Amino acid sequence: MSGDSDCTRTSPSAGSPSDTELAPARPKYVCSLSPDLVTKAREELQEKPEWRLRDVQALRDMVCKDYPSLGTCLDDAFLLRFLRARKFDYDRALQLLVNYHSCRRSWPEVFSNLRPSAIKPVLESGFVTVLPHRDPEGRHVVCIRPDRWSPSQYPITENIRAIYLTLEKLIQSEETQVNGIVILADYKGVSLSKASHFGPFVAKKVIGILQDGFPIRIKAVNIINEPRIFKGIFAIIKPFLKEKIANRFFLHGCDLNSLHQNIPPMILPEEYGGTAGKLDISAWNELLLASEEDFLHDFSQLVLPCESTPQEMLVSGDAEEKQCDDSLRGMKAQLYYCY
């Protein structure tokens, strides 16, 4: 993956022909979208195949002009993720890319040594996995099961690391970039003590990443088996949610028929009233763990240098925790009330 030196050779106008000849060639982008997905991308994301590379170059030029020390990959395929996530709005795509790096810089507990082998215990627990079949809209379903986590074994940040790596793997697919994903969260067995780990500080960080710091389209969040305590959890989350995302939350309780209105039984495991067999986490775990070398390569470059840190994006952990103290006290009281 390319580093910050890429900006010295991005645009033909940035150097002489000899500079270009000396620069290593970028991987040539080859579109893997089907004709139907090309049409969908045009209609929903404003992506025009005939202008695609021009748009990528425009974003690349903006990065090199405004954030020359960002240290980001500037390959066509990588930048396309951000353009698609922001419907080819250059300014919004650039901000998303900067946020992507800023989030990584501001939360070292999550992003240091981030690789599949480092979160193997989380994967083996079944806390997060991806169902083997896509839904009728071509979207992967990410299944999260908080009851599989034992706080005594590792901190909540390990779960967040596992979710982040799962999303990084999924977003490598152009099909996912266009179609987005669906989340299925099973809150069966979530206790008061476990819920208290997800305070305002963690909630704000996670939602900030998913809404404004990662190039993925979350099309629906289906919550099932939520206990009464989830009212308290959702009360923590909701203030940080944009209205569009908040409207994509669906609370089904124990009603599997309600869930099946959003996710068809044919792709669901038996545990959720589906016909796709028992939930098997091994296939996804093997796929993610087999990507170890890819992640070591990718994440070795994605570090935001201190001198180019956008101050408006970065708030120290201590400062944020202090800001959240009052909210945390109120949250605990609310959780006890709901419980």
Side-chain angles (χ1 to χ4, degrees):
M1 182 166 284
S2 304
D4 56 1
S5 61
D6 283 357
C7 285
T8 63
R9 53 183 171 81
T10 294
S11 172
S13 61
S16 65
S18 60
D19 293 332
T20 305
E21 290 171 5
L22 291 172
R26 296 184 189 285
K28 184 177 180 181
Y29 170 74
V30 178
C31 181
S32 63
L33 297 176
S34 66
D36 286 345
L37 283 176
V38 169
T39 299
K40 183 176 183 178
R42 182 187 291 271
E43 293 174 350
E44 295 187 9
L45 307 182
Q46 321 307 320
E47 178 175 346
K48 298 177 175 60
E50 62 273 21
W51 292 353
R52 187 186 287 131
L53 294 182
R54 181 208 67 174
D55 293 335
V56 168
Q57 185 61 49
L59 178 57
R60 185 182 291 120
D61 289 342
M62 291 172 71
V63 172
C64 291
K65 177 183 177 183
D66 298 336
Y67 300 96
S69 299
L70 189 59
T72 187
C73 176
L74 293 173
D75 293 345
D76 296 344
F78 183 77
L79 294 180
L80 263 176
R81 302 176 188 181
F82 296 87
L83 286 165
R84 285 170 172 153
R86 292 297 180 261
K87 298 185 177 181
F88 281 75
D89 182 314
Y90 296 167
D91 292 328
R92 293 176 65 227
L94 175 63
Q95 188 60 60
L96 178 61
L97 178 61
V98 172
N99 293 355
Y100 175 83
H101 288 278
S102 298
C103 289
R104 305 172 69 85
R105 169 75 177 176
S106 65
W107 206 0
E109 296 90 344
V110 169
F111 293 105
S112 295
N113 191 34
L114 186 58
R115 51 196 173 87
S117 62
I119 48 94
K120 191 174 180 180
V122 184
L123 297 177
E124 291 176 343
S125 75
F127 173 85
V128 60
T129 192
V130 177
L131 301 188
H133 305 292
R134 296 174 183 261
D135 74 0
E137 300 297 320
R139 305 173 299 201
H140 274 300
V141 179
V142 178
C143 182
I144 300 173
R145 298 182 293 169
D147 71 304
R148 311 295 290 185
W149 170 48
S150 297
S152 62
Q153 294 182 0
Y154 47 80
I156 192 171
T157 48
E158 291 300 295
N159 295 328
I160 297 167
R161 284 155 60 82
I163 293 172
Y164 194 92
L165 281 176
T166 293
L167 298 182
E168 281 282 2
K169 184 62 181 176
L170 289 175
I171 205 60
Q172 290 175 0
S173 163
E174 289 197 282
E175 188 173 351
T176 297
Q177 293 169 27
V178 174
N179 290 329
I181 64 166
V182 170
I183 294 175
L184 170 60
D186 181 359
Y187 276 83
K188 181 180 180 180
V190 174
S191 64
L192 172 63
S193 61
K194 189 174 291 187
S196 65
H197 289 267
F198 194 71
F201 174 73
V202 174
K204 182 178 180 181
K205 285 280 196 180
V206 171
I207 293 170
I209 291 170
L210 295 179
Q211 288 190 144
D212 300 309
F214 195 85
I216 201 161
R217 307 174 70 208
I218 299 175
K219 305 302 291 183
V221 180
N222 294 276
I223 310 293
I224 61 171
N225 297 321
E226 69 272 18
R228 286 189 301 166
I229 198 173
F230 186 79
K231 293 179 181 179
I233 298 174
F234 196 66
I236 299 168
I237 297 172
K238 196 169 183 180
F240 305 121
L241 293 174
K242 295 178 180 178
E243 182 179 2
K244 181 173 72 172
I245 296 295
N247 291 337
R248 293 176 180 175
F249 273 71
F250 301 93
L251 308 183
H252 302 288
C254 298
D255 187 352
L256 292 180
N257 289 326
S258 175
L259 173 65
H260 296 164
Q261 297 300 311
N262 287 29
I263 305 177
M266 63 164 115
I267 71 166
L268 285 170
E270 295 174 6
E271 290 85 341
Y272 303 122
T275 59
K278 293 285 186 180
L279 179 60
D280 179 16
I281 66 172
S282 61
W284 177 254
N285 288 355
E286 290 171 8
L287 178 64
L288 196 56
L289 289 168
S291 306
E292 180 86 2
E293 293 301 320
D294 291 341
F295 285 111
L296 287 174
H297 178 59
D298 289 354
F299 292 127
S300 67
Q301 297 294 337
L302 300 184
V303 178
L304 188 61
C306 294
E307 63 271 18
S308 62
T309 295
Q311 293 301 318
E312 68 274 13
M313 283 300 301
L314 302 181
V315 180
S316 72
D318 290 343
E320 285 198 40
E321 288 186 271
K322 185 176 180 181
Q323 292 170 6
C324 290
D325 277 348
D326 291 339
S327 298
L328 182 57
R329 284 191 289 270
M331 176 272 291
K332 287 183 176 178
Q334 189 167 23
L335 288 179
Y336 277 104
Y337 175 78
C338 293
Y339 195 67

